[in-house]
Amino acid sequence: GDSVTQMEGPVTLSEEAFLTINCTYTATGYPSLFWYVQYPGEGLQLLLKATKADDKGSNKGFEATYRKETTSFHLEKGSVQVSDSAVYFCALSGGGTSYGKLTFGQGTILTVHP
Amino acid sequence: GAVVSQHPSWVICKSGTSVKIECRSLDFQATTMFWYRQFPKQSLMLMATSNEGSKATYEQGVEKDKFLINHASLTLSTLTVTSAHPEDSSFYICSADELMSSYNEQFFGPGTRLTVL
């Protein structure tokens, strides 16, 4: 079945540091890929998405590129802020009988210090 | 736009009682609503998929008689945890798939914390 693997956390960075959170996936067909963010006390919010190979999703300074050859969708940000502290989830939505269903990675806790 | 609410946000109940959790899409119609369970420091686990007016589809290992799902309208789905026990204590999250969305974006509720004593 479909699966998503994220780098283990937690990740602790200083403000303005570079962020990478690795995400790799296993899926049949051509899944859509997502990054969701969960701020403390809030629900998950879609951060960015990519629906086909080589697509780059971007939002709020975050970027991720759909790499079919390496089955990866790593999240990057050039300069993190304290307000980026949250839990980040990589997810995929597969095709076929899994259409519309999201499979999540285990989540990565990011803490950014001033 | 695209706001999903859940009620209650937290609930404490005694073992053996039933608890109902509501999930509402406030400003859009949802063809499909999903129910997830999130354990501490773990990922979200899909429990079931519900479509308005039809029976929910449960994931493998999820007891459909334990977790009753009703999707009465395009804006409301309910999850009832029947005869709750301490092992049912968890964070339950719903999401809704917007009717007019072309790429199946799901909008998530803030979650409901259930504690069974």
Side-chain angles (χ1 to χ4, degrees):
Chain A
D2 297 345
S3 67
V4 176
T5 302
Q6 284 181 237
M7 65 182 288
E8 292 190 13
V11 175
T12 303
L13 296 172
S14 297
E15 206 165 24
E16 298 184 3
F18 184 86
L19 168 71
T20 299
I21 302 177
N22 290 338
C23 171
T24 56
Y25 67 91
T26 302
T28 54
Y30 303 94
S32 295
L33 302 174
F34 307 85
W35 275 100
Y36 283 86
V37 58
Q38 186 176 31
Y39 297 104
E42 299 183 18
L44 273 74
Q45 302 173 25
L46 178 64
L47 180 60
L48 54 84
K49 69 181 188 299
T51 57
K52 61 183 186 295
D54 299 325
D55 267 4
K56 177 185 284 188
S58 61
N59 186 26
K60 299 181 181 179
F62 291 90
E63 293 183 341
T65 301
Y66 190 144
R67 301 287 188 198
K68 193 172 188 305
E69 63 277 12
T70 55
T71 62
S72 65
F73 193 55
H74 304 322
L75 181 68
E76 296 182 336
K77 186 174 186 182
S79 176
V80 293
Q81 305 300 312
V82 172
S83 57
D84 293 327
S85 298
V87 184
Y88 292 81
F89 292 93
C90 185
L92 70 81
S93 178
T97 56
S98 299
Y99 186 72
K101 296 182 181 179
L102 286 171
T103 300
F104 286 89
Q106 63 267 46
T108 301
I109 300 172
L110 170 66
T111 303
V112 180
H113 292 297
Chain B
V3 177
V4 175
S5 70
Q6 281 184 242
H7 178 80
S9 54
W10 58 270
V11 56
I12 301 172
C13 69
K14 293 182 179 180
S15 186
T17 60
S18 294
V19 175
K20 180 184 284 188
I21 302 169
E22 292 187 348
C23 176
R24 293 182 184 271
S25 56
L26 298 185
D27 50 4
F28 66 99
Q29 292 182 323
T31 48
T32 305
M33 287 186 170
F34 302 86
W35 286 95
Y36 296 86
R37 187 171 177 176
Q38 186 179 26
F39 293 97
K41 299 184 180 181
Q42 293 189 32
S43 187
L44 282 74
M45 181 192 76
L46 179 64
M47 299 175 65
T49 303
S50 72
N51 292 290
E52 183 260 342
S54 61
K55 290 184 178 181
T57 302
Y58 290 82
E59 296 299 300
Q60 192 172 6
V62 178
E63 299 176 60
K64 62 180 181 180
D65 295 329
K66 174 77 170 175
F67 299 99
L68 300 179
I69 291 172
N70 182 273
H71 194 157
S73 75
L74 285 172
T75 60
L76 173 65
S77 177
T78 60
L79 168 68
T80 301
V81 183
T82 62
S83 187
H85 288 93
E87 58 265 29
D88 299 324
S89 298
S90 192
F91 195 54
Y92 293 88
I93 302 172
C94 74
S95 69
D97 184 341
E98 186 177 9
L99 180 65
M100 301 305 294
S101 171
S102 60
Y103 53 82
N104 294 106
E105 180 174 353
Q106 291 184 27
F107 300 95
F108 286 80
T112 296
R113 173 77 59 193
L114 170 62
T115 301
V116 184
L117 303 177

